[in-house]
Amino acid sequence: MVAIVTMTSCASVNVIPFAKNSVNSVTLKELNLTNADYTILNTISESAVVAVTYFSNNLIEVRDAENTFSYTLTPIGKKDEGRYQLQKQEGVIRAGFLSNDYGRVDMTSPEDMARTLAVYRLINTSQSIGADGLVEPVISTNIEGTSGSMGKMTVTYKTTVSAKPVKLKVTGK
């Protein structure tokens, strides 16, 4: 019994708090419904901003603008391999996916982090207004700015996602 407690108390598990959601995205052609079968609601938009600070010692710090998550990556292996290890993490990473792009989030890609966070927010907004799906989502990501000082440089990624929510009309009893 003492050995089991000792073995389990020494183990270190690094679990990153993560929340994922997905929604079906369809084109108007794919709906194959008549206008009487659905209502297209006003276009909704959500955005996310992720700032990435690159330090001269190759350390990378990633943080969203609202400070809901942050993490630090340290390089491992040879300098040019581009492999990183999670060093420090705070908060919960929220990622949303459209039906055609569900997958894993690449934490070394700030563009991917901003995109999935913006989609996550869009899905939550569509759910809050009672939408059943999204039509023709448009996703754009821009590098909004860079700033630097001695030994570090920060790059800001902003992604905006917009779509037309679709509400299916209930038929029958």
Side-chain angles (χ1 to χ4, degrees), residues 104-172:
R104 297 181 52 89
V105 175
D106 181 359
M107 293 179 66
T108 62
S109 169
E111 180 179 354
D112 196 36
M113 296 302 297
R115 172 188 164 89
T116 58
L117 179 56
V119 171
Y120 180 89
R121 291 175 178 167
L122 185 80
I123 291 168
N124 287 341
T125 300
S126 71
Q127 288 175 331
S128 71
I129 62 174
D132 296 305
L134 297 170
V135 177
E136 299 178 353
V138 176
I139 302 172
S140 65
T141 301
N142 299 306
I143 296 176
E144 291 288 312
T146 60
S147 62
S149 63
M150 189 72 131
K152 67 179 182 177
M153 178 180 77
T154 299
V155 179
T156 304
Y157 296 82
K158 180 179 181 183
T159 297
T160 302
V161 183
S162 60
K164 296 171 184 66
V166 175
K167 176 75 176 159
L168 298 176
K169 294 184 180 176
V170 178
T171 58

Side-chain angles (χ1 to χ4, degrees), residues 19-94:
K20 291 184 181 182
N21 64 18
S22 63
V23 68
N24 287 333
S25 61
V26 295
T27 64
L28 287 172
K29 184 179 180 179
E30 291 173 322
L31 285 176
N32 199 23
L33 301 170
T34 67
N35 288 347
D37 296 330
Y38 62 92
T39 302
I40 297 179
L41 307 173
N42 289 334
T43 300
I44 57 174
S45 294
E46 289 292 341
S47 60
V49 176
V50 173
V52 183
T53 304
Y54 300 92
F55 294 90
S56 59
N57 62 357
N58 294 326
L59 193 74
I60 299 173
E61 183 181 87
V62 180
R63 174 180 307 278
D64 73 313
E66 292 80 18
N67 289 318
T68 61
F69 72 84
S70 67
Y71 58 91
T72 303
L73 300 170
T74 56
I76 56 174
K78 295 180 182 177
K79 184 177 180 180
D80 297 334
E81 287 182 326
R83 295 184 320 142
Y84 293 89
Q85 176 179 348
L86 183 67
Q87 187 66 29
K88 181 177 102 175
Q89 181 276 320
E90 295 176 0
V92 177
I93 296 171
R94 291 171 170 80

